[in-house]
Amino acid sequence: YCVEFRTESLSQHCALETRPHARWMQYLREGHTVCVACQPPAMSPATRRCSGDGHSAHGDKILHWEAIGNSQCRGTWKKIRQLDHCSCPPVHSFIFT
């Protein structure tokens, strides 16, 4: 499944990332919608959910995220909706880890 979030805030360290494999962090923006996929390697066997997917979050609850590979690139987002069938666009798509 996938979860759509609206980015509320992010640290300045995201824009400063220059390593080739991590340049995607430069494109994160406040107010943008991102789509995050929950795939089996990241799922809890007991719950079949990914940690941090905002399952119990409703309304205006602010959730925290951190980019893998750059712990200084972090921020907050709000859950928009969960999609049982992923149709994330290639841009602004991520994977839970």
Side-chain angles (χ1 to χ4, degrees):
Y1 66 94
C2 291
V3 184
E4 289 183 348
F5 295 96
R6 184 178 65 248
T7 307
E8 296 293 314
S9 68
L10 59 146
S11 68
Q12 63 185 10
H13 297 282
C14 302
L16 301 175
E17 182 59 70
T18 58
R19 293 174 295 167
H21 70 280
R23 284 195 185 127
W24 61 267
M25 294 178 201
Q26 296 176 0
Y27 300 100
L28 292 169
R29 297 286 183 271
E30 291 179 9
H32 280 194
T33 298
V34 296
C35 186
V36 188
C38 178
Q39 298 178 353
M43 285 183 181
S44 162
T47 64
R48 301 288 295 157
R49 303 202 68 81
C50 285
S51 176
D53 70 358
H55 177 64
S56 59
H58 300 288
D60 288 339
K61 184 170 183 180
I62 293 178
L63 305 168
H64 296 266
W65 59 267
E66 180 180 302
I68 196 113
N70 181 350
S71 61
Q72 293 183 319
C73 177
R74 60 179 67 156
T76 59
W77 55 20
K78 291 182 182 178
K79 180 180 175 182
I80 298 172
R81 64 182 173 151
Q82 178 177 321
L83 305 166
D84 292 330
H85 300 287
C86 294
S87 58
C88 293
V91 178
H92 300 137
S93 297
F94 305 95
I95 299 174
F96 286 105
T97 60

